[in-house]
């Protein structure tokens, strides 16, 4: 017997038209293309007893379903703290058209909006309270939200919390004394009786038609929607399902772009991939409607809209590269085609499988670059053009995950503060340091160099995670070796083969953990990738300056142009770190000669094993 009732209290339809994502905005893509009736049908198929639609600042989509007994009109309201214009979202449930008009008049001021919602006895909650949409959210805003709202969205299908139960713990650990303290601090009264007891809800925040119902709100068994809403108002609800991740956000970007292409009037030449289109159709189209468009046409639109500089619209070689690699991967993956059925919920397994396919395609593309022909003058330009086109294809695949990673990681600092201040209990969560190295994690541990360059951090070994690059397995709770995708001979850069890391796998691994700092140990591809990921995720970057390596490479350069090329490479790399650590004044002078901002260069204290002399520094060369 089912003794509970469920509803997804945060879901969007095609009437949410203002893209909140820079990638979608730059493509001219709306933030959602799901019709109201499709939202309803998918929610019911996925076990929701009641259905609502919470479009941004409109109820036009919800009005299409207003006559259904198990549906209620809702709205996600964009509102602001008037003192600093910081934006937050409030979801108002079961409202009328008159409510909507008044809400829109008041939404510029969160205090006036909340007063009206309480006055009209409208059930409402603060949505994704740690999600920054414009200016930075701070503890000042979170503390005021604790006073203004009695119900919080503690789980959101598009937003990742670290740890997962962060908001649950923060709210559960509120006390009357803490609320009294916040009232005095902010000179405002808390709303409701027993304001230290908070209600909790969940919603998918679905924009792509993929995750409706995955995250939802659970109440005691309700005979009708009014009783369901009464349970929420009485703080007798809880969040069900799982929160979001980088994968759900990235695949939503793919899905929304897919639907934009299906609804567009662009007419690009079809390359043809019926099998691939069928898979994409099953993944992203849950309405049951079928379309004859091919994936190649979708890729053509996406790539042409952002990457037209790499060739004319009639030049399909870039799209052929993508199409061929996609088909090659799929033909090897027999169970993928059986995954995506029209009525199947796109859960964690499907997201993981789709990510695995995209990652395989990226790795395959990475392994097909040919740098040897660059030495042959007659083929240089043609080969360079092909390299640029493959890079463009990699950008197409990588950017949604990069945007998703940035979205999911950018508010970790506020989450940590909230955890420390409000979720005090045993085994407190602590962020760590991610170390990027172009060698095995085991070799780096054995070398002892981390003890020199990281000793000033004064953190425990359990908070240091080494991301090594090696074909050798390394069994450790905190460290991991990533197998190179391919080794390239690049004699113009290095006498030894250069190992290329699995880019997407490492980015995803970073977002699944929580790191307050990235430490770049080496100057190879892993070091470059670590800096890129640090920029994407807004994590401070500290780098070890590999003085012996820099000295050797510049010394061995056989002509002036080659030496200048290496100087520019080192300058570009280390100018993008927040702190560059050196062992000696000589190394400091070397870094400054590369035009590195001297304010970033820090001489660290040394141990007895490391002398400031150049000759003894040269002993470190074997570790580069």
């Amino acid at each position: 017997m089912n003794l509970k009732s469920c509803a997804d209290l945060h879901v969007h339809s095609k009437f949410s038209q203002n893209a909140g994502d820079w990638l979608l905005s730059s493509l001219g893509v709306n933030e959602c293309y799901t019709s109201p009736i499709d939202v309803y049908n998918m929610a019911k198929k996925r076990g929701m007893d009641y259905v609502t639609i919470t479009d941004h600042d409109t109820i036009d989509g919800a009005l299409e379903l207003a006559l259904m007994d198990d549906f209620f009109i809702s709205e996600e309201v964009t509102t602001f703290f008037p003192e600093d214009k910081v934006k937050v979202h409030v979801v108002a449930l079961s409202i009328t058209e008159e409510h909507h008009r008044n809400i829109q008049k008041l939404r510029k001021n969160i205090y006036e909006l909340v007063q009206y919602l309480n006055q009209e006895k409208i059930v409402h909650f603060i949505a994704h309270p740690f999600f920054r949409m414009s200016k930075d959210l701070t503890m000042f805003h979170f503390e005021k939200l604790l006073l203004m709202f009695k119900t919080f969205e503690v789980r959101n299908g598009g937003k990742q919390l670290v740890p997962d139960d962060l908001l649950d713990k923060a709210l559960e650990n509120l006390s009357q004394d803490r609320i009294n303290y916040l009232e005095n601090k902010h000179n405002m009264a808390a709303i409701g009786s027993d304001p230290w007891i908070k209600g909790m809800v969940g919603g998918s925040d679905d924009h792509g038609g993929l995750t409706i119902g995955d995250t939802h709100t659970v109440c005691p068994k309700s005979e009708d929607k009014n009783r369901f809403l009464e349970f929420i108002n009485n703080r007798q609800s809880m969040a069900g399902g799982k929160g979001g991740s980088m994968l759900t956000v990235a695949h939503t970007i793919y899905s929304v772009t897919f639907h934009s292409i299906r609804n567009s009037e662009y007419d690009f030449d079809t390359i043809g991939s019926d099998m691939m289109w069928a898979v994409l159709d099953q993944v992203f189209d849950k309405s049951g409607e079928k379309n004859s468009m091919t994936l190649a046409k979708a890729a053509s639109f996406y790539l042409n809209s952002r990457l037209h500089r790499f060739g004319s619209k009639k030049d399909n070689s870039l799209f052929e590269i993508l199409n061929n690699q996609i088909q090659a991967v799929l033909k090897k993956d027999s169970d993928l085609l059986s995954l995506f059925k029209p009525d199947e919920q796109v859960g964690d397994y499907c997201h993981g499988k789709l990510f695995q396919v995209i990652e395989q395609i990226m790795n395959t593309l990475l392994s097909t670059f040919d740098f040897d022909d660059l030495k042959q003058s007659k083929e240089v330009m043609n080969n360079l053009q092909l390299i640029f086109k493959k890079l463009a294809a990699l950008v197409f695949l990588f950017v949604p995950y990069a945007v998703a990673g940035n979205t999911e990681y950018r508010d970790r600092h506020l989450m940590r503060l909230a955890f420390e201040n409000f979720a005090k209990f045993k085994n407190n969560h602590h962020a760590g340091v991610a170390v990027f190295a172009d060698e095995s994690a085991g070799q780096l541990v054995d070398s002892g160099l981390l003890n020199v360059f990281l000793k000033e951090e004064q953190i425990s070994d359990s908070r240091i995670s080494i991301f090594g690059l090696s074909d050798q397995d390394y069994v450790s709770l905190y460290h991991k070796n990533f197998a190179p995708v391919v080794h390239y001979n690049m004699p113009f850069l290095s006498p030894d083969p250069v190992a290329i890391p699995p880019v997407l796998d490492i980015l995803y691994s970073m977002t699944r953990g929580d790191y307050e700092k990235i430490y770049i140990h080496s100057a190879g591809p892993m070091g470059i990738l670590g800096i890129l990921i640090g920029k994407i995720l807004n994590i401070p970057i500290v780098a070890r300056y590999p003085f012996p390596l820099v000295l050797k490479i510049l010394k061995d350069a056989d002509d002036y142009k080659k030496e200048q090329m290496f100087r520019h490479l080192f300058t570009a790399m280390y100018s993008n770190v927040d702190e560059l650590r050196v062992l000696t004044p000589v190394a400091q002078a070397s870094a400054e000669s590369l035009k590195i901002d001297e304010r970033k260069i820090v001489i660290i204290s040394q141990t007895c094993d490391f002398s400031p002399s150049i000759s003894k520094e040269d002993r470190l060369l074997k570790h580069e």
Side-chain angles (χ1 to χ4, degrees), residues 380-392:
V380 166
M381 291 309 298
N382 288 338
N383 197 48
L384 275 176
Q385 287 181 357
L386 185 58
I387 286 174
F388 284 135
K389 288 179 177 180
K390 288 182 178 180
L391 286 173

mmCIF file of all heavy atoms in Angstrom, residues 380-392:
data_model
loop_
_atom_site.group_PDB
_atom_site.id
_atom_site.type_symbol
_atom_site.label_atom_id
_atom_site.label_comp_id
_atom_site.label_asym_id
_atom_site.label_seq_id
_atom_site.Cartn_x
_atom_site.Cartn_y
_atom_site.Cartn_z
ATOM 1 N N VAL A 380 51.979 20.861 -44.206
ATOM 2 C CA VAL A 380 51.766 21.584 -42.955
ATOM 3 C C VAL A 380 50.399 22.246 -42.909
ATOM 4 O O VAL A 380 49.632 22.079 -41.949
ATOM 5 C CB VAL A 380 52.884 22.627 -42.726
ATOM 6 C CG1 VAL A 380 52.473 23.596 -41.610
ATOM 7 C CG2 VAL A 380 54.175 21.936 -42.357
ATOM 8 N N MET A 381 50.039 23.005 -43.926
ATOM 9 C CA MET A 381 48.782 23.763 -43.890
ATOM 10 C C MET A 381 47.564 22.835 -43.878
ATOM 11 O O MET A 381 46.628 23.037 -43.104
ATOM 12 C CB MET A 381 48.707 24.723 -45.082
ATOM 13 C CG MET A 381 49.696 25.873 -44.992
ATOM 14 S SD MET A 381 49.626 26.743 -43.397
ATOM 15 C CE MET A 381 47.943 27.360 -43.439
ATOM 16 N N ASN A 382 47.585 21.823 -44.719
ATOM 17 C CA ASN A 382 46.455 20.890 -44.743
ATOM 18 C C ASN A 382 46.302 20.170 -43.404
ATOM 19 O O ASN A 382 45.197 19.988 -42.895
ATOM 20 C CB ASN A 382 46.631 19.859 -45.866
ATOM 21 C CG ASN A 382 46.426 20.466 -47.238
ATOM 22 O OD1 ASN A 382 45.776 21.495 -47.359
ATOM 23 N ND2 ASN A 382 46.998 19.830 -48.253
ATOM 24 N N ASN A 383 47.436 19.758 -42.836
ATOM 25 C CA ASN A 383 47.381 19.043 -41.565
ATOM 26 C C ASN A 383 46.943 19.964 -40.433
ATOM 27 O O ASN A 383 46.198 19.569 -39.545
ATOM 28 C CB ASN A 383 48.742 18.423 -41.250
ATOM 29 C CG ASN A 383 48.649 17.337 -40.185
ATOM 30 O OD1 ASN A 383 47.798 16.462 -40.282
ATOM 31 N ND2 ASN A 383 49.490 17.415 -39.180
ATOM 32 N N LEU A 384 47.415 21.203 -40.461
ATOM 33 C CA LEU A 384 46.994 22.169 -39.450
ATOM 34 C C LEU A 384 45.486 22.407 -39.520
ATOM 35 O O LEU A 384 44.810 22.511 -38.490
ATOM 36 C CB LEU A 384 47.742 23.488 -39.629
ATOM 37 C CG LEU A 384 49.126 23.578 -38.972
ATOM 38 C CD1 LEU A 384 49.794 24.894 -39.320
ATOM 39 C CD2 LEU A 384 49.031 23.415 -37.461
ATOM 40 N N GLN A 385 44.947 22.515 -40.735
ATOM 41 C CA GLN A 385 43.505 22.715 -40.885
ATOM 42 C C GLN A 385 42.737 21.537 -40.297
ATOM 43 O O GLN A 385 41.717 21.722 -39.614
ATOM 44 C CB GLN A 385 43.150 22.898 -42.363
ATOM 45 C CG GLN A 385 43.582 24.245 -42.932
ATOM 46 C CD GLN A 385 43.193 24.395 -44.386
ATOM 47 O OE1 GLN A 385 42.653 23.470 -44.998
ATOM 48 N NE2 GLN A 385 43.471 25.560 -44.952
ATOM 49 N N LEU A 386 43.214 20.335 -40.545
ATOM 50 C CA LEU A 386 42.533 19.157 -40.002
ATOM 51 C C LEU A 386 42.623 19.134 -38.479
ATOM 52 O O LEU A 386 41.649 18.810 -37.792
ATOM 53 C CB LEU A 386 43.149 17.876 -40.581
ATOM 54 C CG LEU A 386 42.465 16.563 -40.187
ATOM 55 C CD1 LEU A 386 41.012 16.568 -40.608
ATOM 56 C CD2 LEU A 386 43.200 15.384 -40.812
ATOM 57 N N ILE A 387 43.789 19.511 -37.934
ATOM 58 C CA ILE A 387 43.949 19.573 -36.484
ATOM 59 C C ILE A 387 42.975 20.577 -35.886
ATOM 60 O O ILE A 387 42.308 20.313 -34.877
ATOM 61 C CB ILE A 387 45.401 19.933 -36.119
ATOM 62 C CG1 ILE A 387 46.318 18.725 -36.372
ATOM 63 C CG2 ILE A 387 45.508 20.373 -34.657
ATOM 64 C CD1 ILE A 387 47.790 19.022 -36.168
ATOM 65 N N PHE A 388 42.852 21.762 -36.512
ATOM 66 C CA PHE A 388 41.937 22.774 -35.998
ATOM 67 C C PHE A 388 40.488 22.286 -36.043
ATOM 68 O O PHE A 388 39.693 22.564 -35.147
ATOM 69 C CB PHE A 388 42.080 24.076 -36.784
ATOM 70 C CG PHE A 388 43.304 24.867 -36.431
ATOM 71 C CD1 PHE A 388 44.094 25.429 -37.417
ATOM 72 C CD2 PHE A 388 43.683 25.031 -35.106
ATOM 73 C CE1 PHE A 388 45.227 26.148 -37.090
ATOM 74 C CE2 PHE A 388 44.821 25.748 -34.774
ATOM 75 C CZ PHE A 388 45.597 26.309 -35.769
ATOM 76 N N LYS A 389 40.145 21.547 -37.092
ATOM 77 C CA LYS A 389 38.773 21.051 -37.191
ATOM 78 C C LYS A 389 38.496 19.980 -36.136
ATOM 79 O O LYS A 389 37.404 19.931 -35.565
ATOM 80 C CB LYS A 389 38.506 20.509 -38.597
ATOM 81 C CG LYS A 389 38.393 21.635 -39.626
ATOM 82 C CD LYS A 389 38.142 21.112 -41.028
ATOM 83 C CE LYS A 389 37.973 22.278 -41.995
ATOM 84 N NZ LYS A 389 37.723 21.802 -43.375
ATOM 85 N N LYS A 390 39.467 19.143 -35.865
ATOM 86 C CA LYS A 390 39.279 18.147 -34.808
ATOM 87 C C LYS A 390 39.187 18.838 -33.448
ATOM 88 O O LYS A 390 38.406 18.429 -32.580
ATOM 89 C CB LYS A 390 40.427 17.140 -34.824
ATOM 90 C CG LYS A 390 40.370 16.177 -36.012
ATOM 91 C CD LYS A 390 41.501 15.170 -35.949
ATOM 92 C CE LYS A 390 41.411 14.187 -37.108
ATOM 93 N NZ LYS A 390 42.504 13.182 -37.080
ATOM 94 N N LEU A 391 39.988 19.885 -33.253
ATOM 95 C CA LEU A 391 39.894 20.656 -32.012
ATOM 96 C C LEU A 391 38.512 21.285 -31.883
ATOM 97 O O LEU A 391 37.940 21.347 -30.784
ATOM 98 C CB LEU A 391 40.979 21.733 -31.972
ATOM 99 C CG LEU A 391 42.407 21.253 -31.697
ATOM 100 C CD1 LEU A 391 43.390 22.402 -31.865
ATOM 101 C CD2 LEU A 391 42.515 20.668 -30.291
ATOM 102 N N ALA A 392 37.950 21.758 -33.014
ATOM 103 C CA ALA A 392 36.611 22.340 -32.976
ATOM 104 C C ALA A 392 35.578 21.303 -32.571
ATOM 105 O O ALA A 392 34.663 21.584 -31.784
ATOM 106 C CB ALA A 392 36.253 22.916 -34.353
#
